[in-house]
C-alpha cells in the first residue's frame, strides 16, 4: 500500500476510535480530555508510528524491548517525538534498554523489577514514569501484581529516586466481564491515590473493552487492533 493510502486508512480508524472514546466519555459524564489514547503499534512498522504522530497521536505503546528500541530510534530519526509506553512483560535484564527510549513503563509488577528500573534510570534527565500492573484475577503468570504485592511494588516505585509513580495498569482477564474487572481496578486505584495522591493514572481498556474502561475511570486506553488492524502473531 502507498504511504498515502495507509495514511488515510489510519486517519479513518483514528477518527472512529476517537468517536468511541468521546461517546464513552459523554455516557460516563466525563470530559473527553481525561482519556489519553495510547496507540499500540506492536508488530507494525515505524512508518505507521510516524503517520499516527502526524495525525495527532501523542502516545504509543510497545510490548517487546528489541522491537520497541529499534522502532523508537527510527521514529526519532524521522523527526517524530511521541511518548513511548512500554506495556509488555519486562525482564530485569532489559531494564537498561527500556529506560533509554521509554517515557512510561506501564507493566511493573515486582519490587525487583522496580529496583532494576530505578538503577537503570539513574542517569536519565527526566524521571521515568511507572504504572504498577495489577493482576485482576490473581493469575500473576500473565503479568501483574496481586494482593499485598501491589502495595509493596507501589511503595518501592514511589521511594525510588528516578521513578515517578503514575498509577495503575491492567488487562481485563478474558473470562471476566470487563465492567467487573475495571470496577475492581478503579477501587484499587482509589486506595492507591489515598497513599500516593499524584498516582492518578488508570491504564485500562483495549480495542474490545474501551467503553467499559472509560465507565470505570480509565485515564489511558491502549488501542491496537481497532487502529492499525489485526495482528498476525498472537501477541
Ligand atoms: C496488544 C496490547 C493492547 C492492544 O490490544 P488491542 O486489542 O489490539 O487493542 C493493549 N494492552 C496490552 C498490554 C497489549 O499487549
Amino acid at each position: 500500500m502507498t504511504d498515502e493510502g495507509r495514511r488515510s486508512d489510519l486517519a479513518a480508524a483514528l477518527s472512529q476510535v476517537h468517536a468511541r472514546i468521546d461517546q464513552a466519555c459523554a455516557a460516563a459524564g466525563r470530559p473527553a480530555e481525561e482519556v489519553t489514547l495510547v496507540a499500540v503499534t506492536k508488530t507494525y512498522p515505524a512508518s505507521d508510528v510516524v503517520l499516527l504522530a502526524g495525525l495527532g497521536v501523542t502516545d504509543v505503546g510497545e510490548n517487546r524491548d528489541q522491537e520497541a528500541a529499534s522502532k523508537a530510534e527510527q521514529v526519532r530519526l524521522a523527526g517524530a517525538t511521541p511518548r513511548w509506553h512500554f506495556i509488555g512483560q519486562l525482564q530485569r535484564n532489559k531494564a537498561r534498554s527500556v529506560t533509554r527510549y521509554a517515557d512510561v513503563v506501564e507493566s511493573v509488577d515486582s519490587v525487583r523489577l522496580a529496583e532494576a528500573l530505578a538503577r537503570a534510570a539513574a542517569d536519565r534527565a527526566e524521571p521515568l514514569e511507572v504504572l504498577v500492573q495489577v493482576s485482576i484475577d490473581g493469575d500473576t503468570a500473565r503479568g501483574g501484581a496481586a494482593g499485598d504485592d501491589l502495595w509493596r511494588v507501589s511503595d518501592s516505585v514511589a521511594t525510588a529516586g528516578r521513578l515517578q509513580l503514575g498509577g495503575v495498569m491492567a488487562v481485563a482477564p478474558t473470562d471476566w466481564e470487563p465492567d467487573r474487572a475495571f470496577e475492581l481496578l478503579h477501587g484499587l486505584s482509589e486506595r492507591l491515590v489515598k497513599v500516593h495522591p499524584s498516582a492518578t493514572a488508570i491504564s485500562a481498556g483495549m480495542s474490545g473493552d474501551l467503553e467499559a474502561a472509560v465507565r470505570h475511570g480509565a485515564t489511558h486506553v491502549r488501542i491496537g487492533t481497532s487502529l492499525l488492524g489485526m495482528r498476525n502473531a498472537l501477541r
Side-chain angles (χ1 to χ4, degrees):
M1 190 185 302
T2 63
D3 224 38
E4 213 26 69
R6 182 61 171 161
R7 185 179 199 281
S8 67
D9 283 357
L10 289 176
L14 181 62
S15 76
Q16 274 179 13
V17 166
H18 274 304
R20 282 177 65 188
I21 295 172
D22 290 354
Q23 251 172 33
C25 284
R30 302 179 56 199
E33 306 82 60
E34 276 184 19
V35 180
T36 299
L37 168 65
V38 179
V40 176
T41 49
K42 63 189 180 194
T43 78
Y44 286 96
S47 56
D48 279 351
V49 179
V50 174
L51 288 172
L52 286 169
L55 293 165
V57 167
T58 56
D59 292 73
V60 296
E62 287 284 335
N63 72 337
R64 293 190 179 189
D65 172 60
Q66 222 181 4
E67 177 184 346
S70 80
K71 206 178 293 183
E73 177 64 6
Q74 293 172 62
V75 168
R76 190 183 68 78
L77 291 172
T81 54
R83 279 167 62 76
W84 292 89
H85 295 240
F86 192 84
I87 62 172
Q89 284 196 8
L90 182 59
Q91 287 160 347
R92 273 174 291 141
N93 62 4
K94 302 287 175 61
R96 187 156 300 277
S97 172
V98 165
T99 58
R100 291 201 188 99
Y101 59 83
D103 299 285
V104 188
V105 178
E106 298 201 6
S107 43
V108 175
D109 58 2
S110 75
V111 170
R112 288 189 344 150
L113 177 57
E115 287 171 352
L117 283 169
R119 278 193 299 276
D123 50 2
R124 278 171 60 103
E126 298 290 321
L128 178 69
E129 184 176 341
V130 164
L131 307 189
V132 177
Q133 183 176 351
V134 176
S135 168
I136 299 281
D137 60 3
D139 178 5
T140 54
R142 281 176 298 143
D148 283 343
D149 266 354
L150 175 58
W151 314 113
R152 284 190 204 103
V153 178
S154 307
D155 289 343
S156 125
V157 171
T159 53
R162 288 321 270 166
L163 305 184
Q164 190 182 325
L165 180 64
V168 290
M169 178 274 233
V171 177
T174 49
D175 55 346
W176 278 48
E177 205 57 58
D179 275 291
R180 190 169 149 243
F182 296 136
E183 185 178 20
L184 187 150
L185 181 66
H186 193 197
L188 293 171
S189 166
E190 285 177 336
R191 284 177 63 187
L192 181 71
V193 169
K194 287 209 178 92
V195 188
H196 303 288
S198 62
T200 53
I202 303 177
S203 175
M206 319 200 309
S207 293
D209 56 19
L210 81 83
E211 285 82 2
V214 168
R215 263 196 295 285
H216 297 286
T219 62
H220 294 71
V221 292
R222 307 178 307 270
I223 309 298
T225 310
S226 290
L227 212 48
L228 293 125
M230 292 289 279
R231 292 176 297 273
N232 291 323
L234 192 65
R235 55 189 284 210

